[in-house]
Amino acid sequence: MEIIRDNIEKSEFLVHRSVFADKEILARERAEIFNKCWLFIGHETEVPEKGDYRRKKVGGRNLLLVHGQDDVIRALYNTCPHRGALVCRENEGNARAFRCFYHAWSFKNDGELVGMPGKDGFPKDFNADGTKNMKAVNRFESYRGFMFVNFDEDAISLDEYLGNAKEYIDLVADQSESGLETLGGIQEYSVRANWKLIAENSVDLYHGMPTHKTYFDIKQSQDADLKRVKLEGKGVQLDNGHGVMEYVAPWGRPIAQWTPIWDDNLKKDMEEIKEGLVERFGEERADRIANYNRNILIFPNLVINDIMAITARTFYPTSPGYMEVQGYSFAPKGEPDAHRKARNTNFLEFLGPGGFATPDDNEALELCQEAYNNNTEVQWNDISKGMSREGGALATDELQMRSFWRQYNAVLQESYNKEVALK
Ligand code: FES
Ligand SMILES: [Fe+2]
């Protein structure tokens, strides 16, 4: 199966459109990608206290992220070891124990079975091997508060998997000495498009100006000094299919780039934050943290946007042409109200469900999917931008997307090759 054509000599990179519409390919993605890669489950600040829990859907599984009385955070499979019912039906809360709706088996918040009606029907050592406890996902690791699960027991460590993408996560996490926290609530929406389209779109600065023109026109009208909107920086191919673009942009960043639509007081605050960063990290790194934006794609389905607000996004296919998306928003712990307000305005204006970005992006993705579903005579997508450029890719090039596709292709080809070897 020819998935990509990666022609360095000709500076041409093509992706076969069947990968967006084919059911057999989706089944293979589930087996080879979603069952084997590290998948984002949430941020540790979502369950800060003992007993805190949140229901999560990750890689198609119903999970329960729970902070146990023993102070350990776990991802439990949210299914009753008795006959399978979903044990926890609330989206979030705080509980010492969970009781199954069906036959009322109950479990401590570390998953251990502690009660069952009609005990006399079972032997005393019924749960001696622990198989009647709620099962935990064994591979559960975190980096700087970002927590991941892996359904493959033999997977490499999260640390190794993230590789040099950690440098960019650090730039986000280092923004605040007190650490980042998630803001209440998760945005959930679905898009009639293949999941890989949002992976591409999230590290695609090329589409910024045309797709989000209205937003940039508004930015220009708000800032008399802004003669020309510039989005300048670099695109980087990272380890294991990850990618990033890092660039300057005209919008305000609550860490620590002031914009004229904000209150004048905030200008001083932003300068102070910047000074603090210079003290902690030196001029160059402080400038990167404060004034550079970064959109990080962690293969296969996590995007961390550190732009006019800090967000994360994860997505999963329910069919080749349909995905469910979850959006998170982050901010420094204990941020002053005025900063939080500026951050939230920024977020809503561009990234929120009624903002200038998300609805337009989703429209673009659905327009593409329409062709993959129906115009099957046209077979290849072009992702070549920047391949012929000397001296490294720009942020508006497509190298960071090629990183994703190269890994994607490697994983799927390996699985095809194994099959051939078995025949
Ligand atoms: S299915 Fe949960 S107690 Fe029976
Ligand atoms: Fe966009």
Side-chain angles (χ1 to χ4, degrees):
M1 162 87 192
E2 196 181 15
I3 295 171
I4 63 171
R5 285 185 183 165
D6 192 354
N7 190 335
I8 308 268
E9 249 161 53
K10 205 176 150 200
S11 293
E12 186 181 55
F13 191 98
L14 305 177
V15 174
H16 198 273
R17 292 183 175 182
S18 61
V19 299
F20 300 112
D22 187 303
K23 282 212 176 83
E24 191 275 330
I25 287 193
L26 176 61
R28 202 170 284 268
E29 290 172 349
R30 290 210 167 112
E32 303 298 331
I33 295 177
F34 291 102
N35 288 358
K36 292 185 181 170
C37 290
W38 284 98
L39 306 177
F40 179 67
I41 177 167
H43 192 261
E44 64 187 16
T45 57
E46 288 182 82
V47 286
E49 308 292 338
K50 287 178 185 172
D52 285 351
Y53 67 85
R54 292 211 183 205
R55 265 174 60 187
K56 296 280 178 178
K57 199 145 189 199
V58 182
R61 278 82 165 172
N62 286 308
L63 302 180
L64 186 61
L65 182 68
V66 54
H67 190 147
Q69 284 330 103
D70 57 356
D71 218 9
V72 176
I73 299 177
R74 296 178 175 80
L76 300 175
Y77 290 95
N78 192 2
T79 170
C80 185
H82 181 219
R83 295 249 286 279
L86 193 76
V87 176
C88 177
R89 293 178 298 151
E90 298 289 330
N91 279 339
E92 58 181 272
N94 184 285
R96 279 174 169 266
F98 301 98
R99 195 174 68 151
C100 181
F101 170 77
Y102 200 3
H103 311 89
W105 283 22
S106 53
F107 307 90
K108 285 198 321 199
N109 60 13
D110 62 3
E112 187 190 338
L113 176 71
V114 285
M116 56 216 289
K119 254 193 160 156
D120 57 343
F122 301 96
K124 269 210 171 52
D125 60 353
F126 182 56
N127 191 27
D129 61 0
T131 54
K132 314 301 175 194
N133 298 333
M134 284 177 77
K135 188 176 160 67
V137 184
N138 280 338
R139 302 300 306 275
F140 178 84
E141 292 171 24
S142 70
Y143 184 72
R144 307 245 15 209
F146 293 86
M147 301 185 294
F148 294 75
V149 289
N150 197 316
F151 301 112
D152 177 7
E153 302 274 331
D154 301 324
I156 57 172
S157 71
L158 174 67
D159 197 73
E160 193 184 332
Y161 182 80
L162 292 175
N164 57 1
K166 284 184 292 184
E167 174 193 342
Y168 291 88
I169 298 176
D170 288 344
L171 288 165
V172 185
D174 282 344
Q175 289 189 8
S176 149
E177 258 181 307
S178 54
L180 295 178
E181 64 181 357
T182 43
L183 304 186
I186 290 174
Q187 286 177 4
E188 294 186 296
Y189 57 94
S190 50
V191 192
R192 282 183 294 271
N194 185 270
W195 68 277
K196 298 183 289 302
L197 293 181
I198 209 165
E200 282 185 341
N201 173 266
S202 300
V203 285
D204 177 359
L205 204 58
Y206 189 27
H207 84 282
M209 295 299 243
T211 306
H212 307 303
K213 181 174 183 302
T214 320
Y215 177 77
F216 289 108
D217 286 349
I218 289 171
K219 289 294 116 187
Q220 222 154 357
S221 73
Q222 288 167 338
D223 184 350
D225 296 334
L226 189 64
K227 303 271 178 317
R228 190 173 73 84
V229 171
K230 281 190 292 191
L231 298 172
E232 284 176 359
K234 59 179 183 170
V236 186
Q237 168 164 308
L238 298 169
D239 294 338
N240 296 324
H242 317 315
V244 65
M245 51 194 200
E246 197 174 25
Y247 56 100
V248 288
W251 51 67
R253 283 169 55 78
I255 308 268
Q257 176 171 298
W258 185 79
T259 175
I261 53 160
W262 291 352
D263 209 85
D264 272 353
N265 295 334
L266 284 184
K267 193 170 191 173
K268 214 173 113 269
D269 292 5
M270 292 303 130
E271 283 163 9
E272 276 170 18
I273 295 176
K274 177 81 185 276
E275 277 164 27
L277 289 170
V278 172
E279 262 168 44
R280 282 167 67 207
F281 300 110
E283 195 71 53
E284 197 189 323
R285 187 169 173 84
D287 187 50
R288 247 178 116 186
I289 292 174
N291 304 113
Y292 275 77
N293 299 271
R294 54 198 69 77
N295 301 57
I296 312 164
L297 170 61
I298 302 296
F299 187 90
N301 70 336
L302 171 66
V303 173
I304 302 173
N305 290 320
D306 172 18
I307 46 179
M308 72 290 287
I310 308 171
T311 67
R313 196 183 269 164
T314 178
F315 31 92
Y316 185 75
T318 55
S319 72
Y322 199 86
M323 69 177 132
E324 291 174 344
V325 186
Q326 283 110 28
Y328 295 75
S329 182
F330 296 90
K333 276 183 196 158
E335 183 177 52
D337 286 351
H339 301 188
R340 188 63 62 91
K341 201 169 156 224
R343 173 185 304 282
N344 287 343
T345 307
N346 267 6
F347 171 73
L348 290 173
E349 202 178 52
F350 192 67
L351 295 154
F356 285 104
T358 302
D360 286 342
D361 285 324
N362 294 346
E363 170 70 9
L365 307 193
E366 291 185 358
L367 291 174
C368 296
Q369 187 66 37
E370 171 71 17
Y372 311 148
N373 291 346
N374 300 304
N375 289 12
T376 47
E377 292 75 15
V378 184
Q379 294 188 340
W380 295 93
N381 272 358
D382 185 281
I383 311 201
S384 313
K385 190 166 185 290
M387 269 179 107
S388 58
R389 195 185 301 283
E390 304 282 329
L394 303 181
T396 46
D397 287 337
E398 293 171 328
L399 174 63
Q400 55 282 8
M401 274 171 260
R402 290 192 287 277
S403 177
F404 174 93
W405 283 114
R406 284 172 177 145
Q407 177 74 5
Y408 177 90
N409 181 55
V411 171
L412 261 62
Q413 292 305 350
E414 198 190 335
S415 103
Y416 285 118
N417 292 342
K418 261 189 233 150
E419 254 169 44
V420 173
L422 288 175
K423 273 177 192 163

